[in-house]
Amino acid sequence: MKNIQTITVDSKEQGAEEICNIVRGELEAGRLHVLGLATGSTMEPVYEKMVSSNLDFSDVTAFNLDEYIGIPADHENSYAYYMKKHLFSKKPFKQTYIENGMAEDLDAECVRYETLLKENPLDIQFLGIGENGHIAFNEPGTSPESVTHVVELTQSTIDVNSQYFSEDETMPTTALTMGISSIMQAKKLIVAAFGEKKRAALEKLYAGEISTEWPVTYLLDHPDVTVITDQKF
Ligand code: F6R
């Protein structure tokens, strides 16, 4: 697939290093001003590498893909908290943005976020993949035309992500997420997928056919995608 470059690695850590190398190249070429970030376990070693590197993000604006609805930024399971803990408290950025899952008017919040994205076009967007093929929280069935919107999380995503919530807490079942179209506007997409559990989604991508049921396959329509994975195909 000519739009998809695959880098096969032996470990998440090696994958993280590859991602940092791409970021370094783009920074040095003066092409990285706006960086789209993701959360989740896949991204943790990436942020660890970024933090321990000498990469300078003080002139870079960051946007996050998604945020749960109904938990505040200081809640340890919010994505705002995750970003602060893993990256922003250790590496200064020029400006960081994430959707406000506590906004009273969620539709207005989506419009606000999408407007910010239009004003600050993404140079690179990091993406993880859900076991069900979601990208950001764009679950199976999401339209390719979608922009930042409210989503009902699927049972598959709730089952996977509820491991991070303690027993006496209920995990949010709704979230705000950049849409497929918002993501596809990024000039460069870097997709990280490690472990057997991501294999089915990657197989769908490499099969080369776009399907609404596997949102990751929308990436087949993007001109510049790099997949970093420990799975061999
Ligand atoms: C997180 C996000 C999600 C995750 C995906 C994989 O911001 O947008 O799409 O990237 O669910 O999660 P992990 O890395 O925990 O397997």
Side-chain angles (χ1 to χ4, degrees):
M1 256 153 266
K2 60 181 184 337
N3 65 321
I4 301 184
Q5 196 210 339
T6 302
I7 302 177
T8 311
V9 292
D10 291 329
S11 64
K12 275 184 176 198
E13 290 66 33
Q14 204 190 328
E17 204 159 314
E18 293 287 349
I19 293 175
C20 281
N21 288 342
I22 298 172
V23 167
R24 181 182 301 281
E26 294 301 300
L27 268 175
E28 284 174 4
R31 285 193 294 257
L32 178 52
H33 309 287
V34 185
L35 177 59
L37 302 169
T39 59
S41 59
T42 309
M43 300 313 296
E44 283 181 27
V46 178
Y47 298 144
E48 212 175 293
K49 270 263 154 24
M50 280 166 68
V51 165
S52 63
S53 74
N54 61 358
L55 293 172
D56 180 4
F57 295 99
S58 58
D59 217 17
V60 173
T61 297
F63 278 88
N64 264 85
L65 286 171
D66 41 17
E67 178 62 286
Y68 290 118
I69 290 175
I71 56 174
D74 61 359
H75 185 290
E76 62 173 11
N77 285 117
S78 77
Y79 287 166
Y81 187 94
Y82 171 109
M83 288 312 303
K84 199 169 167 193
K85 176 174 164 195
H86 294 287
L87 188 61
F88 300 150
S89 62
K90 300 169 184 162
K91 269 280 176 199
F93 278 69
K94 181 173 159 194
Q95 176 72 269
T96 64
Y97 294 110
I98 189 162
E99 297 95 333
N100 175 9
M102 295 297 283
E104 252 175 57
D105 183 340
L106 293 168
D107 291 336
E109 175 58 12
C110 292
V111 171
R112 180 190 77 90
Y113 206 67
E114 200 61 33
T115 306
L116 282 168
L117 283 166
K118 290 254 146 51
E119 289 165 0
N120 298 273
L122 294 162
D123 295 305
I124 297 181
Q125 176 64 57
F126 290 169
L127 293 171
I129 313 180
E131 289 173 31
N132 64 357
H134 73 210
I135 49 172
F137 274 142
N138 293 288
E139 299 283 30
T142 306
S143 158
E145 317 289 313
S146 53
V147 292
T148 303
H149 63 291
V150 173
V151 285
E152 291 279 343
L153 301 174
T154 59
Q155 196 55 47
S156 154
T157 299
I158 294 168
D159 290 346
V160 173
N161 287 10
S162 55
Q163 60 177 308
Y164 300 110
F165 289 80
S166 64
E167 264 171 33
D168 54 343
E169 265 177 329
T170 14
M171 189 193 138
T173 55
T174 53
L176 292 169
T177 184
M178 279 191 208
I180 298 292
S181 166
S182 341
I183 292 169
M184 296 290 276
Q185 303 297 319
K187 292 189 191 81
K188 193 174 189 60
L189 300 178
I190 300 180
V191 182
F194 305 115
E196 187 71 26
K197 288 186 172 166
K198 304 293 169 75
R199 203 175 164 83
L202 284 177
E203 272 168 357
K204 293 287 173 192
L205 176 66
Y206 290 129
E209 227 172 89
I210 294 175
S211 148
T212 311
E213 286 315 299
W214 291 87
V216 65
T217 61
Y218 288 133
L219 305 185
L220 290 162
D221 264 348
H222 191 282
D224 183 355
V225 182
T226 303
V227 175
I228 298 181
T229 182
D230 60 353
Q231 298 297 296
K232 301 197 169 63
F233 290 91

